[in-house]
Amino acid sequence: MKNQKSNKLRSLLVGVGLIAVAGLIFAGCPSQQRVMDSGDAAQKVYVAPGEHDEYYGFFSGGYSGQLSVWGLPSSRFLKVIPVFSQDPETGYGYSEETKPLLQTSYGFIPWDDSHHPHISQTDGNADGRWIYINANNTPRIARIDLKTFETKEILELPNTGGNHASSFVTENSEYVIGATRFSIPYEMDLDVPIDSYSDEFRGALSFIELDPETGMMNMDFQILVPPYNYDLGRAGKGPSGDWVFFTTYNTEEAHTMLEVNASRYDKDYIAAVNWRKAAELVRNGAGETMDAEYYHNYYEGNQGIAINDVKNQVTVLTPEDGQDFIYFLPTPKSPHGVDIDPTGEYIVAGGKLATVIPVHSFSQMIDAIENERFDGHVENIPILDYDATIVGEVENPGLGPLHTEFDGRGYAYTSVYISSEIVKWSLDTFEVVDRIDAYYSIGHLMITGGDTKNPDARYMIGLTKTAKDRYLPTGPKQNHPAQLYDISGDRMELLLDFPTIGEPHYAQAIHADLIKDNVAQIYEMEDNDHPHALRRIADNRIERDGDVVRVYMGSVRSHFRPDNIEGIRVGDTVYFHLTNLEQEWDVVHGIGIKGANNAEILVAPGQTKTLKWEPTRTGIYPFYCTAFCSALHQEMQGYVRVSAADSDVELTWRTGTN
């Protein structure tokens, strides 16, 4: 299939030389920093002991696979929410309840690369119910419940290579989107030569339907698209609310040395998809069902044990099914971010090798579609005329523009990687009005509410890639930094910078009032539907079924019941089902046992979790509470006696004289 591209070849040296020269000039060498007077800055970020921050900040963990939670503006670290990687601190991914969440069609995957958190929205504004986040490596999307701040669901994306343009929601949380960053053969497990890239490889745009009441995900359909790299995505707002937009690069369809071979064309594309029309086509029977194996992992009840629902098919829509739901907007050059302004009118790209920031007009895009102002087609996808959709080009933006957010006052803020700065520009004149250094090599930026219809433009976070000299040195590898800026005035001012966890690629911030009053303080015991929960501590017991032993254990301050166990044999598989019977906020108990080859588990008030243990040697094994829970925490311990495999030691359990 031969593409009809409007792009023209351009000298390789232009792009490569631009990067090289810019790197020499700018990398690690920002110009003068503009920092607010230290007293004023301290006052702006100071939150008195016992007082709360005004905003929650959610930062992706990058290669840590997790999501971290921060208070803003103080930048207090609040919590790590385990998502795609095992977490020995809590036992997430080690406990029997949570291990199924990390199951995929490739087996148990205890790690991933989390990039873009996105809070569920109502009418284009963050509503604080759930937050979704993508895994880039083994393509997945997770849903975190913001009542408990726990991962409740993970959906694998089939026939996708690298889910980077994710996990952005539409303006009423109808869908969360995903896309293939690395095009691959779409047919499942197809074994073909890599040189067959243009013929056999394809991209897939994923549309995951969300339940309006529960937030649960359902893979609704995928759109098969040309074999480009689909980098980032965003949903429209208001007039553009039925549309989503994806950036592409590598329209050259290279599969080796992309740093050179994917930089040859003047322009790549933004793919504009009318998701509502595509969904309608699917509802009316368009598309075909294709083989695909993927896992949907979730909890069925209030808690309990996560389950795996293995899917074997997916509905696939191709542009042949309807010519009017997907279009390409030519966009210079290797665009990375695509962001929609609060009115839904402006579509801003961050062409990382471009010398300008291109701004498309949504209304002009619709007019171009209606008047068929096309500049060719690619696999039946119309290419719109660049001049017909472009409404402005921001000149002198710095080198390497990436991501843009908005303040709702008529200004946009774009991160610029190579020249390591943030530029503020007017949505009226498309002229730069302010710029400030970033430390160093900024990736994403985030404004409080800056991706919504109503930004609350108080603060901006810059997520930078290298710390270098910003903190006390901690070896060759420093934690990735973030900078907090005050954007309430005409000029951006740096307030503070601080090290983060993992490598945050994107962040979201939401006013704390939208979340904090709904946060659960305990799990209600009467709602505990775990199949191995204890209702009363007096119900503690041990049951043997062959080589499987289940310990139904309760914990209250400051003891376990039972705490003396005998009759375990080498070769047994022992499950400690620990129920924390406390009903007081933040009174947590844990359990660790000598020789366990997984992790301890932490159990919140009213919750039940399970530690699996397979003793391989005889002896006496102490176990203890791993969370400092009371003045007599040190006394919260017990023993397990393990006898030989052929032992006739009776299975017994007790606590004190019980």
Side-chain angles (χ1 to χ4, degrees):
M1 191 175 300
K2 193 170 178 66
N3 294 339
Q4 306 169 41
K5 301 184 177 69
S6 63
N7 293 335
K8 299 176 181 177
L9 285 176
R10 199 176 184 185
S11 169
L12 300 180
L13 296 177
V14 173
V16 176
L18 180 68
I19 298 171
V21 173
L24 288 172
I25 294 173
F26 291 103
C29 301
S31 57
Q32 292 183 342
Q33 61 179 349
R34 181 175 352 120
V35 185
M36 184 175 285
D37 175 84
S38 58
D40 293 339
Q43 189 173 29
K44 281 182 174 287
V45 302
Y46 179 71
V47 177
E51 298 294 322
H52 294 170
D53 280 285
E54 193 173 356
Y55 297 92
Y56 284 101
F58 297 91
F59 294 17
S60 74
Y63 43 61
S64 82
Q66 316 294 38
L67 179 70
S68 59
V69 188
W70 304 76
L72 300 176
S74 75
S75 303
R76 289 169 171 164
F77 167 64
L78 302 179
K79 188 171 190 171
V80 166
I81 302 174
V83 185
F84 296 113
S85 298
Q86 289 177 305
D87 180 40
E89 178 182 335
T90 61
Y92 178 89
Y94 294 97
S95 72
E96 297 306 296
E97 288 74 17
T98 54
K99 281 195 295 188
L101 290 171
L102 302 181
Q103 197 68 30
T104 76
S105 63
Y106 298 91
F108 181 72
I109 306 291
W111 168 86
D112 219 301
D113 185 12
S114 62
H115 276 240
H116 309 119
H118 206 219
I119 299 170
S120 55
Q121 293 193 354
T122 300
D123 193 24
N125 295 304
D127 59 24
R129 293 185 293 169
W130 313 288
I131 188 165
Y132 297 86
I133 188 167
N134 63 315
N136 186 52
N137 184 56
T138 302
R140 291 173 278 181
I141 297 176
R143 177 176 59 88
I144 292 126
D145 189 331
L146 291 180
K147 287 183 179 175
T148 60
F149 284 57
E150 291 182 336
T151 301
K152 295 296 187 182
E153 180 187 8
I154 294 179
L155 176 70
E156 184 181 3
L157 305 189
N159 300 332
T160 300
N163 177 37
H164 191 260
S166 185
S167 52
F168 304 102
V169 300
T170 54
E171 67 176 349
N172 281 298
S173 302
E174 298 96 337
Y175 283 88
V176 59
I177 60 173
T180 187
R181 175 181 170 193
F182 314 113
S183 285
I184 56 174
Y186 188 80
E187 185 177 337
M188 191 173 75
D189 299 336
L190 186 63
D191 176 14
V192 295
I194 297 173
D195 282 343
S196 68
Y197 185 97
S198 292
D199 294 327
E200 300 287 354
F201 289 42
R202 286 295 174 271
L205 309 179
S206 295
F207 292 80
I208 297 98
E209 193 176 22
L210 303 180
D211 184 289
E213 299 300 322
T214 66
M216 288 276 286
M217 297 181 280
N218 172 55
M219 172 60 71
D220 195 16
F221 63 93
Q222 293 185 316
I223 299 175
L224 207 57
V225 284
Y228 307 153
N229 293 52
Y230 295 82
D231 204 4
L232 275 164
R234 282 286 188 182
K237 307 178 180 75
S240 58
D242 289 349
W243 293 74
V244 293
F245 304 89
F246 299 91
T247 49
T248 72
Y249 64 99
N250 190 28
T251 52
E252 296 86 348
E253 301 180 11
H255 56 82
T256 182
M257 288 293 291
L258 264 66
E259 63 183 307
V260 174
N261 295 325
S263 305
R264 293 178 292 147
Y265 293 162
D266 278 345
K267 294 182 178 66
D268 296 277
Y269 301 122
I270 290 175
V273 179
N274 187 324
W275 62 264
R276 194 177 294 279
K277 189 166 288 187
E280 258 178 38
L281 285 169
V282 171
R283 299 289 174 270
N284 292 327
E288 61 179 312
T289 301
M290 295 186 66
D291 291 338
E293 182 184 1
Y294 60 102
Y295 274 59
H296 186 196
N297 310 320
Y298 57 91
Y299 294 97
E300 282 189 304
N302 297 321
Q303 41 176 304
I305 301 170
I307 63 170
N308 303 131
D309 185 7
V310 183
K311 308 284 189 180
N312 295 302
Q313 292 184 319
V314 63
T315 300
V316 179
L317 196 60
T318 61
E320 286 86 356
D321 294 312
Q323 296 290 326
D324 57 351
F325 69 88
I326 181 169
Y327 300 86
F328 280 143
L329 282 66
T331 300
K333 171 176 184 177
S334 298
H336 185 57
V338 56
D339 299 286
I340 315 302
D341 87 303
T343 71
E345 168 62 14
Y346 296 126
I347 306 158
V348 180
K352 54 186 181 286
L353 299 180
T355 57
V356 298
I357 298 172
V359 183
H360 297 280
S361 158
F362 176 74
S363 57
Q364 288 183 207
M365 183 192 89
I366 296 299
D367 184 71
I369 292 170
E370 291 174 349
N371 291 285
E372 298 188 355
R373 293 189 62 181
F374 301 152
D375 190 15
H377 292 72
V378 179
E379 298 187 10
N380 294 318
I381 301 173
I383 304 167
L384 301 181
D385 177 63
Y386 179 73
D387 292 331
T389 63
I390 203 74
V391 68
E393 292 179 332
V394 180
E395 297 183 347
N396 190 27
L399 296 173
L402 294 181
H403 304 282
T404 300
E405 291 215 341
F406 308 89
D407 65 7
R409 300 191 297 258
Y411 295 98
Y413 302 71
T414 299
S415 59
V416 188
Y417 179 81
I418 298 174
S419 51
S420 199
E421 60 183 329
I422 298 170
V423 295
K424 175 181 177 180
W425 50 275
S426 167
L427 287 165
D428 182 30
T429 64
F430 305 110
E431 294 176 334
V432 173
V433 298
D434 192 21
R435 58 202 321 142
I436 193 167
D437 294 328
Y439 306 93
Y440 302 100
S441 304
I442 185 170
H444 271 277
L445 56 75
M446 176 274 290
I447 287 174
T448 44
D451 71 318
T452 71
K453 287 171 74 173
N454 295 287
D456 188 10
R458 299 275 303 284
Y459 303 103
M460 177 171 65
I461 291 283
L463 299 168
T464 47
K465 299 302 181 185
T466 57
K468 296 186 184 294
D469 56 359
R470 299 302 289 179
Y471 319 114
L472 288 172
T474 56
K477 167 72 175 69
Q478 308 262 75
N479 276 21
H480 287 270
Q483 283 91 47
L484 177 72
Y485 299 87
D486 180 355
I487 59 167
S488 60
D490 291 336
R491 305 199 68 187
M492 299 174 281
E493 295 187 277
L494 177 62
L495 295 174
L496 60 82
D497 56 357
F498 54 99
T500 62
I501 295 171
E503 183 191 4
H505 289 269
Y506 184 50
Q508 288 265 275
I510 183 172
H511 202 282
D513 288 345
L514 291 170
I515 292 182
K516 65 179 184 181
D517 292 338
N518 298 319
V519 173
Q521 297 186 352
I522 61 170
Y523 288 94
E524 301 284 350
M525 279 305 304
E526 58 266 32
D527 294 334
N528 187 333
D529 55 4
H530 193 292
H532 302 297
L534 284 187
R535 300 297 176 189
R536 302 177 307 151
I537 199 162
D539 294 335
N540 73 90
R541 64 192 185 278
I542 300 179
E543 297 175 355
R544 173 183 285 281
D545 181 7
D547 295 335
V548 174
V549 178
R550 295 189 181 277
V551 180
Y552 294 84
M553 177 181 282
S555 61
V556 293
R557 284 164 287 182
S558 300
H559 65 274
F560 296 103
R561 284 178 184 258
D563 67 3
N564 277 214
I565 300 169
E566 300 190 37
I568 303 298
R569 304 174 193 139
V570 170
D572 282 344
T573 298
V574 183
Y575 295 97
F576 291 90
H577 303 296
L578 177 62
T579 299
N580 179 354
L581 290 128
E582 306 277 1
Q583 291 287 268
E584 182 180 343
W585 191 15
D586 206 24
V587 177
V588 175
H589 296 297
I591 185 170
I593 187 166
K594 180 183 178 183
N597 60 4
N598 36 32
E600 56 104 28
I601 53 173
L602 283 184
V603 188
Q607 194 175 34
T608 302
K609 285 188 178 176
T610 303
L611 177 66
K612 180 180 178 181
W613 180 52
E614 296 174 299
T616 57
R617 294 159 56 183
T618 62
I620 303 298
Y621 289 80
F623 61 88
Y624 68 104
C625 178
T626 52
F628 202 113
C629 55
S630 71
L632 296 177
H633 160 74
Q634 293 296 85
E635 283 75 13
M636 194 166 175
Q637 65 171 59
Y639 291 106
V640 178
R641 175 187 172 188
V642 177
S643 301
D646 58 354
S647 167
D648 59 0
V649 174
E650 183 182 1
L651 184 64
T652 61
W653 61 94
R654 62 190 171 91
T655 303
T657 57
N658 181 17

